[in-house]
Amino acid sequence: MSGYSPHTDAEVASMLGFLGLSSLDDLFEVVPEALRLARGLDLPDGMPEPDAFAYLDDLARANRPAGRDLVCFAGGGAYDHEVPPVTRALASRSEFVTSYTPYQPEVAQGVLQAVFEFQTLVARLTGMEVANASLYDGAAATVEGVNLGVAATGRNVVWVSRGLNPTWRQVLATFGAGTGHQLVDVPLENGTTMWEAAAGGDGPGVVLVAYPNFLGCLEDLAGARAVCDRTGAMLVVAFDPIAAGVLRSPADWGADVVVGEGQALGMPLGFGGPYLGLFACGLAQVRRLPGRLVGETVDAEGRRAYVSTLRAREQDIRREKATSNVCTNQTLMAVTAAIQLGWLGTSGIAEVALRSARGAQYCRTRMLDLPGVEPLATAPVLREFAVRLPKPAPVVIERLVDEGFLAGIALDEGYTSGGDDGLLVAVTERRTRVEIDGFVDALSKALR
Amino acid sequence: MAAPVSDVTPKPAAGGRASSAPLLGRDTEPTLFELSQPGRRSWQLRTTGIPEMALEDLVPETHRRHAAPKLAEVSERDLVGHFTRLSHRQFSVDLGAYPLGSCTMKYNPKVCDAVAALPGLADVHPAAPASCTQGWLQLLVELEQQLCEVTGMAAATLQPAAGAAGELTGLLLMRAWHQAHGQTRHKIVIPDSAHGTNPASVTLGGYEVVTVRSDARGCVDLAALKAVLDDDVAGIMLTNPNTLGLFEEDISAIAAAVHEVGGLLYYDGANLNAIVGVVRPGDMGFDIVHLNLHKTFATPHGGGGPGAGPVAVSERLVPYLPGPRPALLEDGAGSRYGWTTTPESIGRVHSWHGNALVLARALTYLLVHGGDGLRQVAQLAVLNANWLRTRLSGTFDVPYDRPCMHECVLSASSLKKSSGVKALDVAKRLLEEGFHSPTVYFPLIVDEALMLEPTETESLQTLEALADAMEKIAAEAVLPGGAEYAAEAPHGTPVRRVDEARAARALVPTFDARP
């Protein structure tokens, strides 16, 4: 018997007797004999927990995690920000970890209130009126933002800035095969989107831009807003929640929908997941909002209470006419983000963004002093920036791994007009001067 | 009003009854924003030694916020108190039995949490070169292999972040398959008992839903199915056992009929816990399978997520799987793990590689159980559900009175007629008896549905206590004042029945939107 099923042999026998059966196999008599797996699963025998843990620990030891032995300068949507013990401790409380979707609000006020607070915090960061209870990740939020914009405008042409994270762009294309959206790529020049270069059919229903963009550059979103005003398109802005601590909010720039990746709000790098898709919009679009939304109400005694609301948008009620198919989302990550934002507070979020910007500036200046290292763009940046190296970036990254640094992400050819020399470098508030100096020295050696 | 009969000390129930959970009063917990005091803070950051440039010298004026975003200002002690108190207002599997049908709320082994917290897994950057991620890649490859054996499929993608994402991925695989064979098909067949995600995914996949009714036995009506099948049908989405907890005995005939018209069969893995190790979707004739790792493989549900929804496919669909996929690559120098993408791939469906730490938990669960252990999971899950169905069949209606799989669907229809007590009232009463509610009003084809899925990790004593509670609720319903008492339930929970209509009518989606 597995260690997690409590049944004793005697209990199994008595339960079978109660059902008038003689063996556990009898429970499956409804399954046609020919379909039953007589041989059993061809899997190894179950291991005792300590052995399984040791096996997984061996696999973990075959990785090189970010840390003192591999100082992280990689970003691209996954950042090495501080996650304090208090966030880890609260977010791992089993009441949050082992509960289901809050279908019975009377016994789910804990998750519901935490999500309500998360929605409020995301609304305040973006400047938007309403935020949902989370989506899977930045890419999924982007897909949903585009779907909302297409539904609202009735036009399926989407102008996509090349400054959008390229993997999110790929996910958008994958799901666009089903929805039939026409994606029109708008190129970058010197790190910012050339909206005048866009040309696509009858004009866009959605204009999609990232702030900061994938290359770390800060674009003047007035240009994108002007395109929307001229064409009637909706402006979807992919924002960064840490950068939002010091940057003009997407709402201030005139965004209609704001999407983003929330990993930086207390989630570990985790090899890419589980992360947190952020989604916010104006109240005018709330009936098109994808996924769950928590609202405040009262209970039968008039006390404040929280509940999932506007449920008629959702798949379990609306079925094929739902605004989205999302059911399971990333609630635990939303709760984690609420805790982390509570820890950061008003001053902390700005401080993390400022310190990251200082580190990036210091690191960029030192790197550009190296012979043959050139900026890929001169547009202003915050925490992340792109350079061209005198050697192929993948080779340099491997060399620096040997020196104890994760140098960044090799840019694909779309960003370097064909070269493999583009490197995207991120500097968070966790990087010290000693680490950055060591990194630049190692890079200098690798480029020699 | 008072309970119609006095409470007695509940019988001990190994594991699952939560009616003794202590709560200090029933005050409202203030929000983080009401706890906030200007100038207070929790954060502490590293000393970096980097020159302290001002923001004005780093970011041009056009891009700067004029004021920091107003969040909350609390001390670490405030933060811990607040979220700990919120956690005390939340039911969870760790607290007690959670027989929420269709959700497979089984106990989540703690060893899986310990694995997911290993720095060698949790702190790996997803864009790190393969030389830094050999352990992760091996883990993913081994998980894929195990899931393929469990489902009887040839290969899988681990990228989809949840079941619905898996469904949409599967539909796009169908689309790619038909297109590669020079066909554009428009329809997907779905039974009327299906989960709501199925039709919602069909729309996003660019298809139209064709609903096929269930027969008197609660299964797909084969004749009705054949009547809607033609060469415009791309495929069918089925859950087996279906959402009534019943095994579709005609599955081989269904598969043959769908394949006959060139369609594909999609297996919604939401109910795999019933049959894992006993019968495999691949052997039933399915072409595409999604798995809910947060159900069958016990990765905790996190209050609504994260999940993981890998999609496994038969040999002929392998080239279309999302990429990049982890693989053991051979070259002259030997073998090492890396990433591969086929030219026919439908593309990425996730920002990175899927909900990786959830995937690590699932592999741990698989390793601890092994093949025999998984089979036992299904056996005991089905045993528990049938025990509960049989025990309660004298108290509640059993609309489809035949052996069930891992869950049973009862109905409060007769109880409603005799007492006025609805399925919703039964659900709310159960909360104050120390159990989470069953799923109510689903599947849609059952009147006053109460869908119970006890899972294999609840003990016989917990099942007895749960059945006792259900019987007590039904017995009290017909007593004088019983219906009124049930309609007001729950009485002792952190909040009483919540006004959902008001929440929708006067929407307050943030603290700042409060009147």
Side-chain angles (χ1 to χ4, degrees):
Chain A
M1 294 274 167
S2 124
Y4 311 112
S5 296
H7 303 64
T8 65
D9 290 342
E11 285 169 346
V12 170
S14 107
M15 291 172 80
L16 286 171
F18 179 67
L19 299 176
L21 302 175
S22 53
S23 81
L24 287 169
D25 287 339
D26 293 351
L27 290 164
F28 295 91
E29 261 183 0
V30 291
V31 179
E33 178 98 47
L35 296 179
R36 277 184 249 167
L37 191 66
R39 66 164 166 83
L41 288 172
D42 183 18
L43 294 179
D45 290 341
M47 297 179 186
E49 260 192 16
D51 298 357
F53 183 82
Y55 184 82
L56 269 300
D57 191 32
D58 283 345
L59 290 181
R61 285 165 194 270
N63 293 321
R64 294 206 44 198
R68 294 173 69 157
D69 297 331
L70 189 69
V71 180
C72 184
F73 290 87
Y79 299 96
D80 182 29
H81 286 292
E82 193 69 43
V83 183
V86 65
T87 296
R88 292 174 201 258
L90 291 174
S92 59
R93 287 195 65 92
S94 76
E95 296 87 345
F96 298 134
V97 173
T98 74
S99 48
Y100 199 74
T101 302
Y103 288 139
Q104 296 293 337
E106 296 84 1
V107 292
Q109 288 297 299
V111 164
L112 285 164
Q113 184 172 338
V115 171
F116 180 79
E117 293 176 4
F118 164 77
Q119 291 172 182
T120 303
L121 290 160
V122 174
R124 289 184 177 186
L125 269 180
T126 57
M128 305 302 281
E129 291 168 307
V130 53
N132 80 0
S134 80
L135 295 166
Y136 310 131
D137 60 10
T142 302
V143 171
E144 297 281 9
V146 166
N147 288 349
L148 185 152
V150 168
T153 59
R155 297 206 302 273
N156 72 350
V157 174
V158 185
W159 286 7
V160 185
S161 161
R162 271 290 181 193
L164 182 73
N165 187 314
T167 63
W168 302 6
R169 167 67 179 73
Q170 289 170 29
V171 175
L172 199 56
T174 303
F175 290 121
T179 44
H181 303 336
Q182 293 179 50
L183 307 181
V184 177
D185 291 313
V186 187
L188 300 179
E189 186 172 286
N190 192 28
T192 62
T193 316
M194 297 281 290
W195 293 111
E196 52 274 32
D202 304 330
V206 176
V207 168
L208 176 56
V209 63
Y211 187 71
N213 69 23
F214 183 65
L215 298 180
C217 296
L218 305 179
E219 302 203 27
D220 186 338
L221 298 190
R225 184 63 253 175
V227 170
C228 292
D229 291 340
R230 183 160 47 78
T231 60
M234 290 193 96
L235 179 60
V236 179
V237 175
F239 91 124
D240 178 281
I242 293 293
V246 295
L247 296 184
R248 265 181 84 178
S249 73
D252 206 18
W253 282 111
D256 296 299
V257 177
V258 181
V259 298
E261 172 55 68
Q263 176 270 338
L265 301 177
M267 277 131 267
L269 291 167
F271 203 46
Y275 286 3
L276 170 65
L278 303 173
F279 194 101
C281 62
L283 272 174
Q285 299 301 330
V286 75
R287 284 175 200 280
R288 291 197 175 89
L289 191 77
R292 272 177 223 124
L293 178 69
V294 174
E296 186 186 306
T297 183
V298 293
D299 76 350
E301 294 175 0
R303 288 175 313 169
R304 195 193 291 177
Y306 304 91
V307 68
S308 292
T309 193
L310 300 187
R311 297 265 296 120
R313 300 164 295 112
E314 290 190 59
Q315 47 76 30
D316 54 326
I317 296 181
R318 205 67 181 282
R319 300 177 79 82
E320 64 265 32
K321 293 196 175 60
T323 55
S324 163
N325 68 337
V326 66
C327 179
T328 290
N329 56 20
Q330 308 276 122
T331 303
L332 185 62
M333 281 61 235
V335 172
T336 305
I339 296 164
Q340 179 80 0
L341 283 168
W343 178 75
L344 286 169
T346 303
S347 58
I349 187 118
E351 188 69 19
V352 167
L354 172 61
R355 290 188 188 206
S356 300
R358 283 178 186 151
Q361 172 74 13
Y362 177 75
C363 185
R364 185 167 184 263
T365 306
R366 282 222 53 201
M367 284 175 75
L368 293 179
D369 282 344
L370 300 178
V373 179
E374 303 290 338
L376 195 72
T378 57
V381 298
L382 195 74
R383 146 185 80 179
E384 199 158 17
F385 58 92
V387 294
R388 303 190 77 139
L389 303 172
K391 283 189 177 177
V395 174
V396 172
I397 289 170
E398 290 290 355
R399 279 285 304 279
L400 284 175
V401 162
D402 297 338
E403 303 291 326
F405 298 97
L406 187 56
I409 296 178
L411 289 170
D412 77 38
E413 300 170 349
Y415 294 102
T416 56
S417 22
D420 62 357
D421 57 352
L423 182 71
L424 183 65
V425 178
V427 184
T428 69
E429 85 290 353
R430 300 191 72 219
R431 294 291 72 83
T432 64
R433 182 172 184 160
V434 170
E435 288 171 340
I436 295 170
D437 288 345
F439 168 56
V440 177
D441 291 348
L443 178 64
S444 169
K445 217 168 70 182
L447 294 178
R448 254 178 246 145
Chain B
M1 68 191 300
V5 294
S6 59
D7 285 336
V8 291
T9 305
K11 277 190 289 192
R17 185 172 196 155
S19 56
S20 66
L23 291 166
L24 296 171
R26 292 176 61 230
D27 285 345
T28 300
E29 171 65 16
T31 61
L32 205 48
F33 314 104
E34 292 157 299
L35 294 168
S36 180
Q37 291 293 327
R40 217 172 246 176
R41 73 176 224 203
S42 302
W43 62 268
Q44 303 186 44
L45 299 171
R46 279 184 95 170
T47 304
T48 62
I50 291 167
E52 297 206 348
M53 291 176 75
L55 186 66
E56 291 69 27
D57 299 325
L58 292 162
V59 177
E61 201 273 334
T62 38
H63 291 288
R64 287 200 304 268
R65 255 185 200 274
H66 301 300
K70 205 170 159 350
L71 301 181
E73 296 177 84
V74 295
S75 69
E76 182 166 321
R77 197 271 169 276
D78 298 335
L79 194 66
V80 169
H82 176 62
F83 282 99
T84 303
R85 290 189 295 270
L86 286 185
S87 77
H88 288 184
R89 298 164 71 80
Q90 179 64 43
F91 196 91
S92 61
V93 171
D94 279 10
L95 187 64
Y98 219 126
L100 192 64
S102 215
C103 302
T104 313
M105 292 299 283
K106 62 172 79 177
Y107 169 72
N108 312 121
K110 299 300 176 191
V111 65
C112 303
D113 297 347
V115 166
L118 285 167
L121 297 179
D123 296 339
V124 176
H125 194 285
S131 59
C132 296
T133 64
Q134 288 294 297
W136 255 119
L137 288 160
Q138 185 181 341
L139 187 158
L140 298 181
V141 167
E142 290 186 6
L143 177 62
E144 179 186 340
Q145 287 167 348
Q146 295 225 0
L147 296 178
C148 285
E149 171 60 14
V150 164
T151 53
M153 291 284 149
T157 173
L158 304 175
Q159 284 187 31
E167 290 175 17
L168 184 48
T169 301
L171 288 159
L172 294 174
L173 288 167
M174 281 195 195
R175 173 172 286 275
W177 161 263
H178 288 301
Q179 275 175 355
H181 292 78
Q183 294 184 5
T184 306
R185 297 187 174 211
H186 299 95
K187 298 188 289 196
I188 298 285
V189 180
I190 296 181
D192 55 7
S193 60
H195 293 114
T197 48
N198 290 178
S201 298
V202 167
T203 301
L204 288 171
Y207 287 111
E208 292 158 31
V209 176
V210 177
T211 305
V212 62
R213 66 170 184 268
S214 304
D215 63 16
R217 306 182 68 242
C219 291
V220 171
D221 186 320
L222 194 56
L225 172 64
K226 285 181 173 165
V228 300
L229 288 178
D230 59 30
D231 63 7
D232 200 27
V233 169
I236 185 171
M237 299 179 84
L238 276 183
T239 310
N240 194 17
N242 64 26
T243 58
L244 292 164
L246 304 176
F247 192 84
E248 298 277 358
E249 294 171 38
D250 291 335
I251 185 60
S252 296
I254 292 169
V258 173
H259 285 151
E260 176 81 13
V261 297
L264 297 168
L265 277 85
Y266 182 93
Y267 182 88
D268 177 335
N271 293 346
L272 187 76
N273 207 53
I275 59 162
V276 61
V278 175
V279 51
R280 307 188 303 172
D283 299 333
M284 294 184 225
F286 285 93
D287 304 284
I288 307 171
V289 179
H290 93 250
L291 298 151
N292 299 85
L293 300 187
H294 47 290
K295 294 181 179 178
T296 315
F297 303 97
T299 66
H301 204 270
V311 172
V313 296
S314 60
E315 196 70 50
R316 58 180 172 158
L317 289 161
V318 174
Y320 307 99
L321 281 172
R325 287 175 54 215
L328 186 60
L329 307 173
E330 309 282 345
D331 62 23
S335 60
R336 61 193 291 277
Y337 290 94
W339 299 99
T340 60
T341 305
T342 57
E344 301 89 345
S345 169
I346 62 165
R348 279 181 176 278
V349 299
H350 189 268
S351 294
W352 298 101
H353 320 305
N355 279 341
L357 293 173
V358 177
L359 301 173
R361 285 183 157 95
L363 181 61
T364 310
Y365 183 87
L366 279 155
L367 290 173
V368 170
H369 282 78
D372 282 351
L374 289 176
R375 181 185 172 83
Q376 201 170 69
V377 160
Q379 290 173 329
L380 296 177
V382 173
L383 178 68
N384 276 2
N386 275 290
W387 188 94
L388 208 52
R389 178 184 62 83
T390 305
R391 166 74 191 266
L392 289 172
S393 60
T395 308
F396 292 90
D397 305 313
V398 184
Y400 299 94
D401 195 10
R402 44 183 281 224
C404 63
M405 291 277 105
H406 65 308
E407 63 193 2
C408 61
V409 179
L410 309 177
S411 166
S413 188
S414 296
L415 184 70
K416 187 180 165 189
K417 283 195 196 86
S418 64
S419 68
V421 171
K422 307 183 293 287
L424 183 69
D425 303 328
V426 174
K428 300 299 185 192
R429 279 284 291 114
L430 204 52
L431 297 176
E432 57 194 2
E433 296 294 331
F435 296 98
H436 196 277
S437 307
T439 293
V440 288
Y441 302 108
F442 186 81
L444 307 175
I445 56 176
V446 173
D447 183 42
E448 296 295 325
L450 291 162
M451 186 192 213
L452 290 144
E453 181 180 5
T455 83
E456 73 282 3
T457 57
E458 293 306 335
S459 68
L460 175 58
Q461 294 75 35
T462 298
L463 298 183
E464 285 170 342
L466 173 61
D468 288 349
M470 297 274 292
E471 286 166 359
K472 177 181 173 211
I473 290 165
E476 289 175 4
V478 295
L479 295 178
E484 291 80 359
Y485 185 75
E488 288 172 1
H491 299 80
T493 45
V495 297
R496 297 285 300 279
R497 215 174 277 203
V498 169
D499 189 344
E500 299 189 24
R502 171 177 159 144
R505 194 176 59 242
L507 182 68
V508 182
T510 67
F511 182 75
D512 304 313
R514 302 183 75 222

